[in-house]
Amino acid sequence: MSSEDTPKGFTVVDSRVSRDDEGDQGPGGDKENKKAADKPGGEGAVKSGETSKPDAAEESLETGASMETDHAPITFPGFLLSLHHSAAICLGLVPDPIQNERITRLDLARENIDLLEMLKEKTKGNLDADEQKLIENILYDLRMAYVQVCKASGKGDCDL
């Protein structure tokens, strides 16, 4: 199959914000380029003989398939453990995966604890016994760690 026989994709032109010849953005953009894209055979059109091939995201939306098949589906306990891990990083209990060092961000740790508390309240009566026990244990562990790290750092208000 030659390169001329290979189906080509299509180009999407966002007409909401475009750049003129000097590169300045404007709400209307370069009217000539917009007109060319709107005309049959223009920049945004699919030429005859070409097929528009949907990308992976479009195909997955159409078929209901996930874009990535290498991971397990997200579960509520997995979500809770993810928030727990984020708070543990902010408390310096585990190293930050990007900086590879322990950091202490009490403000972000408290946000994660507050988020977990909100989830506990909003899901009250809808969790099974294991999920309820997990969220309670996570909150207890994080609150105790927060108070300990806060007091060790010499910050004033360590109450949750």
Side-chain angles (χ1 to χ4, degrees):
M1 189 181 224
S2 71
S3 63
E4 293 175 3
D5 296 312
T6 305
K8 297 180 181 172
F10 57 91
T11 304
V12 176
V13 178
D14 188 350
S15 62
R16 293 175 292 178
V17 177
S18 60
R19 299 182 185 275
D20 61 16
D21 293 334
E22 278 83 39
D24 293 332
Q25 287 187 355
D30 187 355
K31 292 180 183 176
E32 295 302 317
N33 285 339
K34 186 176 178 184
K35 287 179 186 175
D38 291 341
K39 288 182 183 176
E43 184 181 333
V46 176
K47 295 180 177 70
S48 67
E50 292 182 351
T51 59
S52 63
K53 190 175 181 182
D55 63 3
E58 289 174 345
E59 286 179 8
S60 69
L61 287 175
E62 291 170 3
T63 63
S66 172
M67 287 177 49
E68 293 187 28
T69 58
D70 296 4
H71 61 82
I74 296 173
T75 62
F76 188 70
F79 177 58
L80 295 177
L81 291 171
S82 174
L83 292 172
H84 176 267
H85 189 71
S86 294
I89 290 170
C90 294
L91 290 170
L93 303 176
V94 294
D96 180 288
I98 296 172
Q99 298 174 1
N100 203 24
E101 61 185 46
R102 293 178 190 266
I103 59 167
T104 303
R105 291 287 311 269
L106 291 174
D107 56 334
L108 295 178
R110 186 172 187 140
E111 282 183 16
N112 279 299
I113 294 168
D114 290 345
L115 180 59
L116 283 160
E117 180 62 38
M118 181 196 65
L119 283 170
K120 179 183 171 193
E121 292 302 314
K122 293 290 185 178
T123 58
K124 190 177 283 185
N126 292 320
L127 301 179
D128 63 34
D130 290 337
E131 292 169 334
Q132 186 66 37
K133 188 169 182 114
L134 177 63
I135 198 167
E136 287 172 3
N137 288 340
I138 285 173
L139 279 167
Y140 178 81
D141 290 343
L142 288 175
R143 286 178 180 139
M144 293 298 111
Y146 178 88
V147 171
Q148 186 178 23
V149 171
C150 185
K151 286 183 178 180
S153 69
K155 302 282 183 190
D157 183 25
C158 295
D159 294 332
L160 287 173

mmCIF file of all heavy atoms in Angstrom, residues 49-70:
data_model
loop_
_atom_site.group_PDB
_atom_site.id
_atom_site.type_symbol
_atom_site.label_atom_id
_atom_site.label_comp_id
_atom_site.label_asym_id
_atom_site.label_seq_id
_atom_site.Cartn_x
_atom_site.Cartn_y
_atom_site.Cartn_z
ATOM 1 N N GLY A 49 -12.091 11.121 -1.024
ATOM 2 C CA GLY A 49 -11.182 9.984 -1.069
ATOM 3 C C GLY A 49 -10.506 9.734 0.271
ATOM 4 O O GLY A 49 -9.903 8.697 0.471
ATOM 5 N N GLU A 50 -10.571 10.708 1.190
ATOM 6 C CA GLU A 50 -9.980 10.521 2.506
ATOM 7 C C GLU A 50 -11.071 10.083 3.469
ATOM 8 O O GLU A 50 -12.227 10.435 3.310
ATOM 9 C CB GLU A 50 -9.362 11.829 3.027
ATOM 10 C CG GLU A 50 -8.153 12.289 2.258
ATOM 11 C CD GLU A 50 -7.563 13.563 2.846
ATOM 12 O OE1 GLU A 50 -8.201 14.161 3.737
ATOM 13 O OE2 GLU A 50 -6.488 13.953 2.417
ATOM 14 N N THR A 51 -10.675 9.317 4.443
ATOM 15 C CA THR A 51 -11.636 8.929 5.469
ATOM 16 C C THR A 51 -11.203 9.530 6.787
ATOM 17 O O THR A 51 -10.018 9.644 7.060
ATOM 18 C CB THR A 51 -11.703 7.396 5.617
ATOM 19 O OG1 THR A 51 -10.414 6.917 5.967
ATOM 20 C CG2 THR A 51 -12.171 6.739 4.341
ATOM 21 N N SER A 52 -12.163 9.941 7.568
ATOM 22 C CA SER A 52 -11.826 10.451 8.884
ATOM 23 C C SER A 52 -11.853 9.271 9.845
ATOM 24 O O SER A 52 -12.840 8.568 9.948
ATOM 25 C CB SER A 52 -12.813 11.537 9.331
ATOM 26 O OG SER A 52 -14.095 10.990 9.444
ATOM 27 N N LYS A 53 -10.729 9.040 10.484
ATOM 28 C CA LYS A 53 -10.578 7.900 11.374
ATOM 29 C C LYS A 53 -10.668 8.397 12.810
ATOM 30 O O LYS A 53 -9.897 9.255 13.210
ATOM 31 C CB LYS A 53 -9.220 7.259 11.099
ATOM 32 C CG LYS A 53 -9.016 5.945 11.772
ATOM 33 C CD LYS A 53 -7.701 5.364 11.322
ATOM 34 C CE LYS A 53 -7.478 4.019 11.955
ATOM 35 N NZ LYS A 53 -6.195 3.465 11.568
ATOM 36 N N PRO A 54 -11.601 7.881 13.597
ATOM 37 C CA PRO A 54 -11.705 8.342 14.982
ATOM 38 C C PRO A 54 -10.485 7.917 15.786
ATOM 39 O O PRO A 54 -9.904 6.869 15.535
ATOM 40 C CB PRO A 54 -12.976 7.665 15.500
ATOM 41 C CG PRO A 54 -13.205 6.505 14.605
ATOM 42 C CD PRO A 54 -12.587 6.867 13.282
ATOM 43 N N ASP A 55 -10.104 8.778 16.724
ATOM 44 C CA ASP A 55 -8.968 8.434 17.563
ATOM 45 C C ASP A 55 -9.407 7.471 18.653
ATOM 46 O O ASP A 55 -10.565 7.099 18.762
ATOM 47 C CB ASP A 55 -8.298 9.677 18.147
ATOM 48 C CG ASP A 55 -9.202 10.463 19.075
ATOM 49 O OD1 ASP A 55 -10.344 10.030 19.317
ATOM 50 O OD2 ASP A 55 -8.749 11.511 19.568
ATOM 51 N N ALA A 56 -8.459 7.054 19.501
ATOM 52 C CA ALA A 56 -8.743 6.050 20.531
ATOM 53 C C ALA A 56 -9.816 6.508 21.499
ATOM 54 O O ALA A 56 -10.650 5.720 21.936
ATOM 55 C CB ALA A 56 -7.457 5.710 21.284
ATOM 56 N N ALA A 57 -9.813 7.810 21.834
ATOM 57 C CA ALA A 57 -10.804 8.318 22.780
ATOM 58 C C ALA A 57 -12.210 8.215 22.187
ATOM 59 O O ALA A 57 -13.151 7.813 22.863
ATOM 60 C CB ALA A 57 -10.494 9.768 23.156
ATOM 61 N N GLU A 58 -12.353 8.584 20.899
ATOM 62 C CA GLU A 58 -13.659 8.504 20.263
ATOM 63 C C GLU A 58 -14.124 7.061 20.154
ATOM 64 O O GLU A 58 -15.281 6.748 20.401
ATOM 65 C CB GLU A 58 -13.618 9.140 18.873
ATOM 66 C CG GLU A 58 -13.494 10.647 18.913
ATOM 67 C CD GLU A 58 -13.302 11.237 17.523
ATOM 68 O OE1 GLU A 58 -12.991 10.492 16.580
ATOM 69 O OE2 GLU A 58 -13.473 12.455 17.392
ATOM 70 N N GLU A 59 -13.196 6.158 19.796
ATOM 71 C CA GLU A 59 -13.556 4.752 19.675
ATOM 72 C C GLU A 59 -13.997 4.188 21.017
ATOM 73 O O GLU A 59 -14.958 3.440 21.099
ATOM 74 C CB GLU A 59 -12.383 3.947 19.120
ATOM 75 C CG GLU A 59 -12.157 4.177 17.650
ATOM 76 C CD GLU A 59 -10.972 3.384 17.123
ATOM 77 O OE1 GLU A 59 -10.423 2.544 17.865
ATOM 78 O OE2 GLU A 59 -10.596 3.603 15.967
ATOM 79 N N SER A 60 -13.293 4.551 22.088
ATOM 80 C CA SER A 60 -13.647 4.010 23.392
ATOM 81 C C SER A 60 -14.992 4.553 23.855
ATOM 82 O O SER A 60 -15.741 3.853 24.528
ATOM 83 C CB SER A 60 -12.569 4.313 24.427
ATOM 84 O OG SER A 60 -12.517 5.687 24.717
ATOM 85 N N LEU A 61 -15.322 5.798 23.500
ATOM 86 C CA LEU A 61 -16.621 6.342 23.866
ATOM 87 C C LEU A 61 -17.731 5.627 23.112
ATOM 88 O O LEU A 61 -18.792 5.357 23.658
ATOM 89 C CB LEU A 61 -16.678 7.842 23.578
ATOM 90 C CG LEU A 61 -15.892 8.733 24.526
ATOM 91 C CD1 LEU A 61 -15.933 10.171 24.040
ATOM 92 C CD2 LEU A 61 -16.413 8.630 25.937
ATOM 93 N N GLU A 62 -17.459 5.322 21.838
ATOM 94 C CA GLU A 62 -18.468 4.661 21.027
ATOM 95 C C GLU A 62 -18.699 3.229 21.471
ATOM 96 O O GLU A 62 -19.812 2.744 21.504
ATOM 97 C CB GLU A 62 -18.056 4.681 19.553
ATOM 98 C CG GLU A 62 -18.101 6.075 18.954
ATOM 99 C CD GLU A 62 -17.473 6.139 17.573
ATOM 100 O OE1 GLU A 62 -17.057 5.091 17.046
ATOM 101 O OE2 GLU A 62 -17.393 7.244 17.029
ATOM 102 N N THR A 63 -17.632 2.530 21.835
ATOM 103 C CA THR A 63 -17.763 1.120 22.201
ATOM 104 C C THR A 63 -17.965 0.913 23.684
ATOM 105 O O THR A 63 -18.290 -0.177 24.120
ATOM 106 C CB THR A 63 -16.511 0.339 21.772
ATOM 107 O OG1 THR A 63 -15.385 0.853 22.487
ATOM 108 C CG2 THR A 63 -16.285 0.426 20.291
ATOM 109 N N GLY A 64 -17.747 1.970 24.473
ATOM 110 C CA GLY A 64 -17.867 1.836 25.921
ATOM 111 C C GLY A 64 -16.627 1.221 26.546
ATOM 112 O O GLY A 64 -16.606 0.910 27.718
ATOM 113 N N ALA A 65 -15.576 1.024 25.772
ATOM 114 C CA ALA A 65 -14.349 0.412 26.279
ATOM 115 C C ALA A 65 -13.474 1.459 26.949
ATOM 116 O O ALA A 65 -13.550 2.639 26.644
ATOM 117 C CB ALA A 65 -13.579 -0.227 25.122
ATOM 118 N N SER A 66 -12.649 1.031 27.845
ATOM 119 C CA SER A 66 -11.720 1.919 28.531
ATOM 120 C C SER A 66 -10.534 2.201 27.622
ATOM 121 O O SER A 66 -10.112 1.341 26.852
ATOM 122 C CB SER A 66 -11.236 1.249 29.820
ATOM 123 O OG SER A 66 -10.219 2.000 30.401
ATOM 124 N N MET A 67 -9.981 3.417 27.718
ATOM 125 C CA MET A 67 -8.814 3.762 26.906
ATOM 126 C C MET A 67 -7.600 2.964 27.359
ATOM 127 O O MET A 67 -6.759 2.618 26.559
ATOM 128 C CB MET A 67 -8.532 5.256 26.986
ATOM 129 C CG MET A 67 -9.541 6.062 26.205
ATOM 130 S SD MET A 67 -9.321 7.830 26.321
ATOM 131 C CE MET A 67 -7.615 8.068 25.989
ATOM 132 N N GLU A 68 -7.486 2.711 28.637
ATOM 133 C CA GLU A 68 -6.369 1.928 29.145
ATOM 134 C C GLU A 68 -6.929 0.645 29.730
ATOM 135 O O GLU A 68 -7.815 0.672 30.559
ATOM 136 C CB GLU A 68 -5.612 2.706 30.219
ATOM 137 C CG GLU A 68 -4.905 3.920 29.672
ATOM 138 C CD GLU A 68 -4.026 4.561 30.724
ATOM 139 O OE1 GLU A 68 -3.548 3.850 31.623
ATOM 140 O OE2 GLU A 68 -3.839 5.769 30.633
ATOM 141 N N THR A 69 -6.387 -0.468 29.308
ATOM 142 C CA THR A 69 -6.876 -1.748 29.792
ATOM 143 C C THR A 69 -5.880 -2.412 30.729
ATOM 144 O O THR A 69 -6.084 -3.538 31.137
ATOM 145 C CB THR A 69 -7.174 -2.681 28.609
ATOM 146 O OG1 THR A 69 -5.975 -2.839 27.848
ATOM 147 C CG2 THR A 69 -8.285 -2.131 27.749
ATOM 148 N N ASP A 70 -4.793 -1.712 31.077
ATOM 149 C CA ASP A 70 -3.752 -2.306 31.890
ATOM 150 C C ASP A 70 -4.030 -2.223 33.375
ATOM 151 O O ASP A 70 -3.271 -2.765 34.166
ATOM 152 C CB ASP A 70 -2.413 -1.604 31.618
ATOM 153 C CG ASP A 70 -1.948 -1.802 30.192
ATOM 154 O OD1 ASP A 70 -2.684 -2.407 29.405
ATOM 155 O OD2 ASP A 70 -0.841 -1.354 29.881
#
